[in-house]
Short mmCIF file of all heavy atoms in Angstrom, two decimals:
data_model
loop_
_atom_site.label_atom_id
_atom_site.label_comp_id
_atom_site.label_asym_id
_atom_site.label_seq_id
_atom_site.Cartn_x
_atom_site.Cartn_y
_atom_site.Cartn_z
N THR A 24 -0.70 -7.47 11.09
CA THR A 24 -1.77 -6.52 11.38
C THR A 24 -3.07 -6.88 10.67
O THR A 24 -3.98 -6.06 10.60
CB THR A 24 -1.34 -5.10 10.97
OG1 THR A 24 -0.91 -5.11 9.60
CG2 THR A 24 -0.21 -4.60 11.84
N ASN A 25 -3.15 -8.10 10.13
CA ASN A 25 -4.36 -8.55 9.45
C ASN A 25 -4.77 -7.57 8.36
O ASN A 25 -5.92 -7.16 8.25
CB ASN A 25 -5.51 -8.74 10.45
CG ASN A 25 -6.70 -9.47 9.84
OD1 ASN A 25 -6.58 -10.18 8.84
ND2 ASN A 25 -7.87 -9.29 10.44
N SER A 26 -3.80 -7.19 7.53
CA SER A 26 -4.02 -6.14 6.52
C SER A 26 -3.66 -6.64 5.12
O SER A 26 -2.90 -5.99 4.40
CB SER A 26 -3.18 -4.90 6.86
OG SER A 26 -3.46 -4.42 8.14
N VAL A 27 -4.22 -7.76 4.72
CA VAL A 27 -3.97 -8.26 3.37
C VAL A 27 -5.20 -8.15 2.47
O VAL A 27 -5.12 -8.42 1.27
CB VAL A 27 -3.46 -9.72 3.38
CG1 VAL A 27 -2.16 -9.83 4.16
CG2 VAL A 27 -4.51 -10.67 3.94
N ARG A 28 -6.34 -7.76 3.05
CA ARG A 28 -7.55 -7.57 2.24
C ARG A 28 -7.55 -6.18 1.61
O ARG A 28 -6.95 -5.24 2.13
CB ARG A 28 -8.79 -7.74 3.11
CG ARG A 28 -9.15 -9.19 3.35
CD ARG A 28 -10.47 -9.34 4.07
NE ARG A 28 -10.88 -10.75 4.09
CZ ARG A 28 -11.65 -11.29 5.01
NH1 ARG A 28 -12.11 -10.56 6.00
NH2 ARG A 28 -11.96 -12.57 4.94
N LYS A 29 -8.26 -6.06 0.49
CA LYS A 29 -8.36 -4.78 -0.19
C LYS A 29 -9.03 -3.75 0.73
O LYS A 29 -9.88 -4.08 1.54
CB LYS A 29 -9.13 -4.93 -1.49
CG LYS A 29 -8.42 -5.81 -2.53
CD LYS A 29 -9.17 -5.89 -3.83
CE LYS A 29 -8.55 -6.88 -4.79
NZ LYS A 29 -7.16 -6.57 -5.14
N ARG A 30 -8.59 -2.48 0.58
CA ARG A 30 -9.07 -1.34 1.36
C ARG A 30 -8.55 -1.34 2.80
O ARG A 30 -8.99 -0.55 3.62
CB ARG A 30 -10.60 -1.25 1.36
CG ARG A 30 -11.21 -0.99 0.00
CD ARG A 30 -12.72 -1.09 0.04
NE ARG A 30 -13.30 -0.08 0.91
CZ ARG A 30 -13.88 1.06 0.49
NH1 ARG A 30 -13.91 1.33 -0.79
NH2 ARG A 30 -14.41 1.91 1.36
N THR A 31 -7.63 -2.25 3.10
CA THR A 31 -6.99 -2.22 4.41
C THR A 31 -5.56 -1.72 4.23
O THR A 31 -5.02 -1.71 3.12
CB THR A 31 -6.97 -3.59 5.10
OG1 THR A 31 -6.16 -4.50 4.34
CG2 THR A 31 -8.37 -4.16 5.23
N GLY A 32 -4.96 -1.32 5.32
CA GLY A 32 -3.58 -0.86 5.25
C GLY A 32 -2.89 -0.99 6.58
O GLY A 32 -3.53 -1.13 7.62
N ASN A 33 -1.58 -0.99 6.53
CA ASN A 33 -0.81 -1.00 7.77
C ASN A 33 0.41 -0.11 7.62
O ASN A 33 0.86 0.17 6.51
CB ASN A 33 -0.41 -2.43 8.15
CG ASN A 33 0.85 -2.89 7.45
OD1 ASN A 33 1.95 -2.77 7.96
ND2 ASN A 33 0.69 -3.41 6.23
N ILE A 34 0.91 0.30 8.75
CA ILE A 34 2.11 1.13 8.78
C ILE A 34 3.11 0.49 9.72
O ILE A 34 2.80 0.19 10.87
CB ILE A 34 1.79 2.56 9.21
CG1 ILE A 34 0.96 3.24 8.12
CG2 ILE A 34 3.06 3.35 9.49
CD1 ILE A 34 0.56 4.65 8.43
N SER A 35 4.31 0.27 9.21
CA SER A 35 5.39 -0.35 9.98
C SER A 35 6.41 0.73 10.32
O SER A 35 6.89 1.44 9.42
CB SER A 35 6.04 -1.47 9.18
OG SER A 35 7.10 -2.06 9.90
N VAL A 36 6.73 0.83 11.59
CA VAL A 36 7.58 1.91 12.08
C VAL A 36 8.84 1.33 12.71
O VAL A 36 8.77 0.48 13.59
CB VAL A 36 6.83 2.78 13.10
CG1 VAL A 36 7.75 3.79 13.75
CG2 VAL A 36 5.66 3.49 12.42
N GLY A 37 9.98 1.80 12.26
CA GLY A 37 11.27 1.38 12.81
C GLY A 37 12.33 2.37 12.34
O GLY A 37 12.11 3.58 12.35
N THR A 38 13.49 1.85 11.93
CA THR A 38 14.52 2.71 11.36
C THR A 38 13.95 3.46 10.15
O THR A 38 14.20 4.65 9.96
CB THR A 38 15.74 1.88 10.93
OG1 THR A 38 16.25 1.20 12.08
CG2 THR A 38 16.82 2.76 10.35
N SER A 39 13.18 2.76 9.33
CA SER A 39 12.41 3.38 8.26
C SER A 39 10.94 3.28 8.62
O SER A 39 10.57 2.64 9.61
CB SER A 39 12.69 2.68 6.92
OG SER A 39 12.21 1.35 6.95
N VAL A 40 10.09 3.91 7.81
CA VAL A 40 8.65 3.80 8.02
C VAL A 40 8.00 3.57 6.67
O VAL A 40 8.39 4.19 5.67
CB VAL A 40 8.07 5.07 8.71
CG1 VAL A 40 8.37 6.32 7.90
CG2 VAL A 40 6.57 4.93 8.93
N PHE A 41 7.08 2.62 6.61
CA PHE A 41 6.38 2.44 5.35
C PHE A 41 4.92 2.09 5.59
O PHE A 41 4.56 1.44 6.57
CB PHE A 41 7.05 1.39 4.46
CG PHE A 41 7.33 0.07 5.12
CD1 PHE A 41 6.35 -0.91 5.22
CD2 PHE A 41 8.59 -0.21 5.62
CE1 PHE A 41 6.62 -2.13 5.81
CE2 PHE A 41 8.87 -1.43 6.21
CZ PHE A 41 7.88 -2.40 6.31
N ALA A 42 4.10 2.59 4.67
CA ALA A 42 2.67 2.29 4.68
C ALA A 42 2.36 1.37 3.51
O ALA A 42 2.89 1.56 2.41
CB ALA A 42 1.85 3.57 4.57
N MET A 43 1.53 0.37 3.75
CA MET A 43 1.11 -0.58 2.73
C MET A 43 -0.41 -0.52 2.62
O MET A 43 -1.11 -0.89 3.57
CB MET A 43 1.55 -1.99 3.11
CG MET A 43 3.00 -2.14 3.53
SD MET A 43 4.13 -2.01 2.14
CE MET A 43 3.76 -3.52 1.27
N ILE A 44 -0.92 -0.06 1.49
CA ILE A 44 -2.35 0.05 1.28
C ILE A 44 -2.74 -0.92 0.17
O ILE A 44 -2.26 -0.80 -0.97
CB ILE A 44 -2.75 1.48 0.88
CG1 ILE A 44 -2.14 2.51 1.87
CG2 ILE A 44 -4.26 1.61 0.81
CD1 ILE A 44 -2.57 2.33 3.31
N VAL A 45 -3.60 -1.89 0.48
CA VAL A 45 -4.03 -2.89 -0.50
C VAL A 45 -5.08 -2.24 -1.40
O VAL A 45 -6.12 -1.78 -0.92
CB VAL A 45 -4.58 -4.15 0.17
CG1 VAL A 45 -4.83 -5.24 -0.88
CG2 VAL A 45 -3.61 -4.67 1.24
N LEU A 46 -4.79 -2.19 -2.70
CA LEU A 46 -5.57 -1.40 -3.64
C LEU A 46 -6.70 -2.20 -4.28
O LEU A 46 -6.57 -3.40 -4.54
CB LEU A 46 -4.66 -0.85 -4.74
CG LEU A 46 -3.48 0.00 -4.28
CD1 LEU A 46 -2.61 0.39 -5.46
CD2 LEU A 46 -3.95 1.25 -3.54
N GLU A 47 -7.78 -1.48 -4.58
CA GLU A 47 -8.89 -2.07 -5.33
C GLU A 47 -8.67 -1.97 -6.83
O GLU A 47 -9.17 -2.79 -7.59
CB GLU A 47 -10.20 -1.36 -4.97
CG GLU A 47 -10.69 -1.59 -3.56
CD GLU A 47 -12.03 -0.92 -3.33
OE1 GLU A 47 -12.07 0.32 -3.24
OE2 GLU A 47 -13.03 -1.66 -3.24
N GLN A 48 -7.94 -0.96 -7.26
CA GLN A 48 -7.70 -0.76 -8.69
C GLN A 48 -6.35 -0.08 -8.88
O GLN A 48 -5.77 0.46 -7.94
CB GLN A 48 -8.80 0.10 -9.30
CG GLN A 48 -8.97 1.46 -8.65
CD GLN A 48 -10.22 2.17 -9.11
OE1 GLN A 48 -11.19 1.55 -9.53
NE2 GLN A 48 -10.21 3.50 -9.04
N ASP A 49 -5.87 -0.10 -10.13
CA ASP A 49 -4.57 0.50 -10.44
C ASP A 49 -4.62 2.01 -10.25
O ASP A 49 -5.67 2.64 -10.41
CB ASP A 49 -4.17 0.18 -11.89
CG ASP A 49 -3.91 -1.29 -12.10
OD1 ASP A 49 -3.60 -1.98 -11.11
OD2 ASP A 49 -4.01 -1.74 -13.26
N LEU A 50 -3.47 2.59 -9.94
CA LEU A 50 -3.38 4.05 -9.86
C LEU A 50 -3.42 4.64 -11.26
O LEU A 50 -3.09 3.98 -12.25
CB LEU A 50 -2.08 4.45 -9.15
CG LEU A 50 -1.89 3.91 -7.72
CD1 LEU A 50 -0.58 4.43 -7.14
CD2 LEU A 50 -3.06 4.30 -6.82
N SER A 51 -3.84 5.89 -11.36
CA SER A 51 -4.00 6.53 -12.67
C SER A 51 -2.70 7.02 -13.26
O SER A 51 -2.63 7.35 -14.44
CB SER A 51 -4.97 7.71 -12.55
OG SER A 51 -4.42 8.73 -11.70
N ALA A 52 -1.65 7.10 -12.47
CA ALA A 52 -0.36 7.62 -12.94
C ALA A 52 0.78 6.93 -12.19
O ALA A 52 0.57 6.19 -11.22
CB ALA A 52 -0.30 9.13 -12.72
N VAL A 53 1.97 7.17 -12.69
CA VAL A 53 3.19 6.66 -12.04
C VAL A 53 3.73 7.75 -11.13
O VAL A 53 3.94 8.89 -11.58
CB VAL A 53 4.25 6.26 -13.09
CG1 VAL A 53 5.54 5.85 -12.40
CG2 VAL A 53 3.73 5.14 -13.98
N TYR A 54 3.95 7.41 -9.87
CA TYR A 54 4.45 8.37 -8.89
C TYR A 54 5.77 7.86 -8.31
O TYR A 54 5.82 6.72 -7.83
CB TYR A 54 3.46 8.57 -7.76
CG TYR A 54 2.10 9.07 -8.17
CD1 TYR A 54 1.03 8.20 -8.33
CD2 TYR A 54 1.88 10.43 -8.38
CE1 TYR A 54 -0.22 8.66 -8.71
CE2 TYR A 54 0.63 10.91 -8.75
CZ TYR A 54 -0.42 10.01 -8.91
OH TYR A 54 -1.65 10.47 -9.27
N PRO A 55 6.81 8.67 -8.31
CA PRO A 55 8.07 8.23 -7.71
C PRO A 55 7.96 7.99 -6.21
O PRO A 55 8.78 7.29 -5.62
CB PRO A 55 9.05 9.37 -8.03
CG PRO A 55 8.18 10.56 -8.32
CD PRO A 55 6.92 10.01 -8.91
N GLU A 56 6.94 8.59 -5.58
CA GLU A 56 6.77 8.41 -4.13
C GLU A 56 6.03 7.12 -3.78
O GLU A 56 5.97 6.74 -2.61
CB GLU A 56 5.98 9.60 -3.55
CG GLU A 56 6.65 10.94 -3.72
CD GLU A 56 6.27 11.62 -5.05
OE1 GLU A 56 5.60 10.96 -5.89
OE2 GLU A 56 6.63 12.79 -5.23
N ILE A 57 5.44 6.45 -4.77
CA ILE A 57 4.61 5.26 -4.52
C ILE A 57 5.25 4.04 -5.18
O ILE A 57 5.42 4.01 -6.40
CB ILE A 57 3.17 5.42 -5.05
CG1 ILE A 57 2.56 6.75 -4.61
CG2 ILE A 57 2.32 4.24 -4.63
CD1 ILE A 57 2.36 6.88 -3.13
N ASP A 58 5.59 3.04 -4.39
CA ASP A 58 6.06 1.76 -4.92
C ASP A 58 4.85 0.86 -5.15
O ASP A 58 3.96 0.79 -4.31
CB ASP A 58 6.97 1.04 -3.93
CG ASP A 58 8.19 1.85 -3.53
OD1 ASP A 58 8.28 3.03 -3.93
OD2 ASP A 58 9.02 1.31 -2.80
N MET A 59 4.85 0.15 -6.26
CA MET A 59 3.81 -0.84 -6.50
C MET A 59 4.38 -2.22 -6.18
O MET A 59 5.24 -2.75 -6.90
CB MET A 59 3.33 -0.78 -7.95
CG MET A 59 2.54 0.49 -8.27
SD MET A 59 1.13 0.77 -7.18
CE MET A 59 0.17 -0.71 -7.48
N VAL A 60 3.91 -2.80 -5.08
CA VAL A 60 4.39 -4.11 -4.64
C VAL A 60 3.17 -5.02 -4.44
O VAL A 60 2.10 -4.75 -4.97
CB VAL A 60 5.24 -3.99 -3.36
CG1 VAL A 60 6.54 -3.26 -3.65
CG2 VAL A 60 4.49 -3.26 -2.25
N THR A 61 3.34 -6.11 -3.70
CA THR A 61 2.21 -7.02 -3.50
C THR A 61 2.15 -7.52 -2.07
O THR A 61 3.13 -7.45 -1.32
CB THR A 61 2.30 -8.26 -4.42
OG1 THR A 61 3.22 -9.21 -3.88
CG2 THR A 61 2.70 -7.90 -5.84
N THR A 62 0.98 -8.06 -1.71
CA THR A 62 0.83 -8.80 -0.47
C THR A 62 1.53 -10.14 -0.63
O THR A 62 1.89 -10.54 -1.74
CB THR A 62 -0.66 -9.05 -0.17
OG1 THR A 62 -1.20 -9.86 -1.23
CG2 THR A 62 -1.43 -7.74 -0.08
#
């Protein structure tokens, strides 16, 4: 989906669903609902 640049995102839909948002900066807190992964 050409979504590896910062401020872009994609959503993959199948048996599961996940959104990947390329971040400009670190999040301010740890959230169990948010995984920190990489492109």
Side-chain angles (χ1 to χ4, degrees):
T24 54
N25 191 21
S26 303
V27 300
R28 280 187 171 153
K29 295 183 186 300
R30 295 173 63 101
T31 65
N33 84 93
I34 292 179
S35 178
V36 172
T38 301
S39 66
V40 57
F41 51 83
M43 310 287 291
I44 310 300
V45 188
L46 303 176
E47 292 183 288
Q48 58 190 25
D49 293 337
L50 302 182
S51 65
V53 175
Y54 300 99
E56 299 89 352
I57 311 295
D58 302 6
M59 291 304 300
V60 293
T61 79
T62 63

